[in-house]
Amino acid sequence: MTTFNQPLGGNEMPRFAGITTMMRLPHAPDAKGLDACFVGVPMDIGTSNRSGTRFGPRQVRAESVMIRPYNMGTGAAPFDSLQVADIGDVPTNPYDLKKSVRIISEFFDGILKFDCKPLAIGGDHTLTYPILQAMARKHGPVGLVHIDAHADINEHQFGEAIAHGTPFRRAVEEGLLDCKRVVQIGLRGSGYAAEDFDWPRGQGFRVVTAEDCWHKSLTPLMAEVRQQMGDGPVYVSYDIDSLDPGIAPGTGTPEIGGLTTVQALEIIRGCKGLNIVGADLVEVSPPFDTTGTTAITAANLLYELLCVLPGVISR
């Protein structure tokens, strides 16, 4: 009988004590023997405004201590279903973004060779590009559920092809995405050009702006997304700036008029049943939220992503 790793409980060790892994899970040196893993990707040299996301993984882990094993909203019991551990951080290069991209891509190859589903803790959104490279090598072009205030499809930033505002254009150019199975949710704010959101539509993406989400449940939307994604492999990329900055101020490029945490839960829980092969939660910048609220929210959303992975049973 398989014995699954369990988060360290609050009655075994006070919540404010113990080793700071995600949810106080065991630390593993690699993904061998794991069904899913949490992995930090500490970097912020791809950011265009406020830096600080290099501290995101550490803070998200620190604020994850209150999360308990069972999801009382959905019944999901991930730690009765999957072997999960925290495998630490990708050793990014803090002086060279392009080298960091290569390091991340190769690191995720190492995770995927064990058929483990990674849940990445960012880190700026540049990191999704090299992760998608690894995903495509493993699975072929993947579908994408992308929740964000920004489309991140810029051609260049300051003449650079790789930055946190360009990952999904690079992914399209390299054939990493199944473009008919891509949805972007929560886009809003001002743009560089009037047609900024038209480029992803032109590739076949479904674009759902924040205005389309205001004052409504997103459960019906996710029923449509599940139909769009079908049975093929899907990657989920959750940018914390999709949330309204009144809820999650600790991020580099905040935009007013964002999603609520209830809508975030509806989106992630609405991914249940998809063939999710990996996910990330990016752009948490602790220096801009000294209360820890943004990181607490991020930690809970990562837990919710774990809860919708294939194979998770309900109690």
Side-chain angles (χ1 to χ4, degrees):
M1 181 176 177
T2 302
T3 300
F4 294 112
N5 292 338
Q6 298 295 316
L8 182 61
N11 292 319
E12 301 169 70
M13 176 74 73
R15 296 284 178 190
F16 50 80
I19 303 301
T20 309
T21 57
M22 185 67 185
M23 293 185 65
R24 304 200 300 177
L25 282 162
H27 172 261
D30 56 38
K32 185 177 181 179
L34 301 179
D35 300 305
C37 68
F38 292 103
V39 53
V41 190
M43 59 181 287
D44 57 15
I45 51 175
T47 55
S48 57
N49 188 30
R50 307 193 305 193
S51 60
T53 56
R54 66 180 62 190
F55 303 112
R58 180 173 292 178
Q59 185 70 13
V60 170
R61 287 182 173 112
E63 300 295 356
S64 71
V65 298
M66 280 298 297
I67 306 174
R68 302 169 184 88
Y70 294 94
N71 191 319
M72 306 309 290
T74 67
F79 304 107
D80 291 358
S81 316
L82 306 176
Q83 191 68 284
V84 188
D86 188 327
I87 65 167
D89 289 346
V90 179
T92 54
N93 185 322
Y95 306 107
D96 192 317
L97 182 59
K98 293 182 177 66
K99 284 184 179 178
S100 287
V101 164
R102 176 181 54 78
I103 291 165
I104 294 164
S105 187
E106 293 173 355
F107 194 98
F108 276 77
D109 283 338
I111 294 172
L112 296 177
K113 75 178 182 181
F114 294 115
D115 295 323
C116 176
K117 294 178 172 61
L119 299 173
I121 316 168
D124 75 61
H125 219 154
T126 312
L127 64 87
T128 305
Y129 165 52
I131 294 174
L132 288 173
Q133 289 178 322
M135 290 289 165
R137 286 192 289 268
K138 173 76 172 180
H139 301 287
V142 297
L144 175 71
V145 179
H146 172 210
I147 309 97
D148 202 327
H150 311 98
D152 291 351
I153 47 76
N154 294 324
E155 186 170 5
H156 293 91
Q157 291 191 277
F158 276 87
E160 297 294 332
I162 298 176
H164 77 157
T166 68
F168 300 110
R169 185 175 287 247
R170 301 289 87 83
V172 169
E173 292 170 348
E174 294 186 18
L176 311 180
L177 298 176
D178 179 356
C179 291
K180 298 299 182 184
R181 294 195 305 119
V182 176
V183 60
Q184 295 184 304
I185 303 171
L187 306 191
R188 62 188 189 276
S190 51
Y192 291 106
E195 63 274 10
D196 271 2
F197 295 164
D198 293 337
W199 190 89
R201 292 186 179 106
Q203 312 312 305
F205 295 10
R206 178 174 185 175
V207 174
V208 182
T209 65
E211 288 82 357
D212 293 331
C213 301
W214 287 354
H215 313 302
K216 67 179 69 170
S217 167
L218 300 186
T219 298
L221 168 66
M222 293 312 296
E224 297 173 4
V225 169
R226 288 193 299 275
Q227 194 166 31
Q228 176 187 357
M229 296 296 155
D231 297 327
V234 177
Y235 187 83
V236 182
S237 185
Y238 200 104
D239 190 322
I240 202 69
D241 72 25
S242 65
L243 298 175
D244 190 86
I247 296 168
T251 191
T253 48
E255 306 279 1
I256 67 166
L259 304 178
T260 68
T261 53
V262 171
Q263 290 173 317
L265 293 175
E266 289 177 325
I267 292 168
I268 295 175
R269 292 177 180 180
C271 291
K272 180 70 174 176
L274 296 181
N275 180 17
I276 298 172
V277 293
D280 61 53
L281 190 296
V282 299
E283 297 286 356
V284 174
S285 185
F288 294 97
D289 183 2
T290 57
T291 68
T293 300
T294 305
I296 292 168
T297 303
N300 278 273
L301 295 182
L302 279 161
Y303 169 70
E304 292 284 341
L305 286 164
L306 174 67
C307 287
V308 296
L309 290 183
V312 172
I313 63 174
S314 295
R315 292 295 191 199

